[in-house]
Every structure is written in structure tokens, then in C-alpha cells.
Amino acid sequence: TMKQNNQSTEIRQTILPTLTTAAQQHYLHATINIKKGFVKLGNRMLEEYTEETETIGKIVERILELGGEVKLEYPDIKFQVFENPEDQLRNECAFQFQSIELLEKIIRESTLDIVTENFLIDYLADETEHAAWLKQQVDLIDTLGINNYLTKQI
């Protein structure tokens, strides 16, 4: 229905700025880590950047399919770059769990077209998997200490 299409476009448009910012952050953190010699960690962040870039493409395509307009204005989003890998992982982990809560709420409370609903469910699964990986990295830092953790990322 028209209402579903409008709400689906609005929700995709809402997700787009955060996802675009997160992708840029992954790319910058990956570059920082690779330059510091933490190639494994940097490459994992590049994988996340690539996945998010593909997701951005799917969001844009669907907005256009639904007759919506893609807006790239993000006045409320704060973009943070952390030089320290521990700060990167801890901050991203916290943000990831907040994002999952928001996605769950959107799925639960919205009237969506089936394509958007299935997209969001799949996206939630991907984000949950990434959150589990981030939590694992933070737990490893807590258990091993940052120096021992980073030696495993070379």
C-alpha cells in the first residue's frame, strides 16, 4: 500500500545517514590500524566497510524503487575517529548494541512492505553477528590485555 511504501522509504532514509557514517568510520579505522601494523584488525574492518557499502546501495535502490528521494543530509550525526584500537572497538561495540535495539524497535513497531521488512530482518542478523564479534574482541582485550591482543592483530 501507499502507506507501507511511504513508511518503508522513511525508515530506509532514517537508517542511511547512520550507516553511511559507520561505513566511513570503518574505512578510516581500518586505514589507521593497517598503517600501525595491525593488519588483521584493519582487514576485518575493511570487510565491514565493504558489507556496509553494499547495504547502502541496497537501501538507495529500494528508496528509488518506491519513488522516494535519497537525501544525504546528516546534521545530527557526530563522526568520531579513534586512533587507539581499543577505543575503536569499545565505542563501536556500544554503538552497535544501540543500533540493534533501534532496528528491533523499527521492525516491531512499523508497518512495512515485505521487501523492506525482509531487508531489515536480514540486516538485523548481520548487525547482530557483527555485535557478537565486537563483544568478543572487547572480551579478549579485557582478558588478555590490550598489548597481548594487539600482537594477535599484526
Side-chain angles (χ1 to χ4, degrees):
T1 68
M2 184 63 84
K3 182 181 177 191
Q4 285 177 326
N5 287 355
N6 287 343
Q7 190 169 25
S8 295
T9 298
E10 189 178 300
I11 287 169
R12 285 174 182 266
Q13 188 64 56
T14 300
I15 293 169
L16 192 57
T18 303
L19 189 58
T20 303
T21 302
Q24 292 170 338
Q25 186 181 45
H26 285 306
Y27 182 80
L28 291 171
H29 286 164
T31 303
I32 290 167
N33 288 322
I34 290 168
K35 291 276 186 209
K36 288 184 174 187
F38 307 125
V39 178
K40 288 181 184 176
L41 182 59
N43 285 339
R44 178 63 175 86
M45 290 177 169
L46 280 178
E47 287 174 24
E48 194 62 27
Y49 165 76
T50 301
E51 287 176 20
E52 288 179 346
T53 303
E54 290 169 1
T55 302
I56 290 165
K58 290 176 185 174
I59 289 172
V60 168
E61 287 172 17
R62 187 63 180 156
I63 289 171
L64 295 173
E65 285 172 8
L66 294 171
E69 182 182 335
V70 178
K71 298 175 188 144
L72 296 173
E73 298 171 8
Y74 316 139
D76 298 330
I77 294 181
K78 303 277 188 267
F79 186 82
Q80 291 185 289
V81 177
F82 298 95
E83 291 291 324
N84 178 322
E86 182 175 2
D87 292 338
Q88 293 169 7
L89 292 166
R90 288 188 186 282
N91 281 283
E92 186 179 340
C93 187
F95 180 76
Q96 193 73 15
F97 281 99
Q98 290 173 351
S99 297
I100 287 170
E101 283 180 27
L102 178 62
L103 273 173
E104 289 171 338
K105 181 180 179 189
I106 288 170
I107 292 167
R108 202 173 45 247
E109 296 178 3
S110 301
T111 305
L112 304 168
D113 68 275
I114 193 70
V115 174
T116 298
E117 184 174 355
N118 288 338
F119 167 81
L120 289 175
I121 289 168
D122 290 346
Y123 180 53
L124 176 61
D126 290 345
E127 293 299 286
T128 301
E129 183 180 310
H130 185 56
W133 180 82
L134 287 165
K135 177 81 169 87
Q136 180 184 45
Q137 303 316 296
V138 170
D139 289 348
L140 284 170
I141 290 169
D142 290 342
T143 301
L144 301 173
I146 188 62
N147 291 333
N148 288 331
Y149 173 82
L150 288 175
T151 59
K152 302 280 188 196
Q153 301 304 319
I154 294 174

